[in-house]
Amino acid sequence: MYCKMNFGIIFVLLIVLGAGSIMIGVILANVMTGTGERLGLGWFLHTSNPFMWAGLGIGLACSLSVVGAAMGIYMTGTSICGGGVRSPRIKTKNLITIIFCEAVAIYGLITAILLSGCVKNFYTVRMISDQRVISNNMFTAYVVFGAGLTVGLVNIACGIAVGIVGSGAALADAANSALFVKILIVEIFGSAIGLFGLIVSIYMTSKAEMIL
């Protein structure tokens, strides 16, 4: 077992040294050929296509929201199935938690549709030659990316919150049916978190639109 641990450490060290050597080689190659500015983050942001950032934002808004909804449904569904063995009456009543979790994915879908309205096809030649078009289109792309990422992360947190509270609501309802309505109020406030992300994304993209 000790030999296996040593082999694992040596293997990791070799990977790190190999990756470091490659990075040093790339850095030296760019510096010696007069293209060292390509190693900076500013060069990457300036030369990247606006459609890439806009597409990433739209994709993250939808995909991360679905992940949050799936996590919430997973946590709630297992508790409903487990508690339903003892108290079958909770199965139908606690489906409202599943609806709240599904609403998280709908928030992401709505955001993706709204963000896609900011993206328009433009002439590449005009974007390269006109500084105003460059600034406006890059601003729109970054705003769409930021709004999509914001909504996605907010909806992940919202889905987890609704799932945990819904799981507790199902188990509490199985033990005492009088507790369901009280916990449902907490669950409603947890579901409202997703609306905050949607509202912020709409505000962020209110002045964002690509110039043709």
Side-chain angles (χ1 to χ4, degrees):
M1 182 176 180
Y2 181 75
C3 295
K4 291 182 178 179
M5 290 179 63
N6 284 337
F7 176 77
I9 294 172
I10 294 173
F11 182 72
V12 171
L13 289 175
L14 288 175
I15 292 177
V16 172
L17 289 174
S21 300
I22 293 173
M23 289 180 63
I24 292 173
V26 171
I27 291 171
L28 291 175
N30 282 278
V31 170
M32 292 179 179
T33 55
T35 58
E37 72 277 357
R38 295 186 178 182
L39 300 173
L41 181 62
W43 180 86
F44 171 73
L45 294 176
H46 181 70
T47 56
S48 57
N49 195 316
F51 287 131
M52 180 191 74
W53 295 106
L56 283 174
I58 295 171
L60 288 174
C62 189
S63 59
L64 293 181
S65 299
V66 171
V67 170
M71 293 174 69
I73 292 173
Y74 166 74
M75 288 184 282
T76 304
T78 52
S79 296
I80 293 175
C81 293
V85 174
R86 177 183 174 183
S87 302
R89 60 181 173 76
I90 72 169
K91 293 180 181 179
T92 304
K93 185 165 46 173
N94 283 272
L95 287 179
I96 189 171
T97 305
I98 304 297
I99 297 173
F100 283 144
C101 292
E102 194 66 29
V104 174
I106 296 174
Y107 294 155
L109 181 61
I110 293 172
T111 304
I113 294 172
L114 293 175
L115 295 180
S116 63
C118 300
V119 182
K120 295 182 180 179
N121 193 14
F122 56 85
Y123 297 103
T124 307
V125 177
R126 187 182 177 191
M127 180 176 172
I128 295 174
S129 58
D130 193 339
Q131 184 64 36
R132 185 177 67 89
V133 176
I134 294 175
S135 301
N136 185 83
N137 289 356
M138 294 304 293
F139 166 77
T140 300
Y142 294 147
V143 165
V144 170
F145 174 75
L149 182 61
T150 300
V151 170
L153 294 177
V154 167
N155 284 338
I156 284 182
C158 179
I160 294 174
V162 173
I164 293 175
V165 176
S167 174
L171 298 177
D173 186 27
N176 185 359
S177 60
L179 297 174
F180 177 75
V181 177
K182 299 177 181 179
I183 300 179
L184 183 63
I185 297 174
V186 180
E187 194 173 342
I188 292 172
F189 281 108
S191 179
I193 296 175
L195 288 175
F196 299 155
L198 179 60
I199 293 170
V200 169
S201 68
I202 293 174
Y203 180 75
M204 288 176 64
T205 57
S206 60
K207 297 181 180 180
E209 187 175 3
M210 288 186 175
I211 300 177
L212 301 179

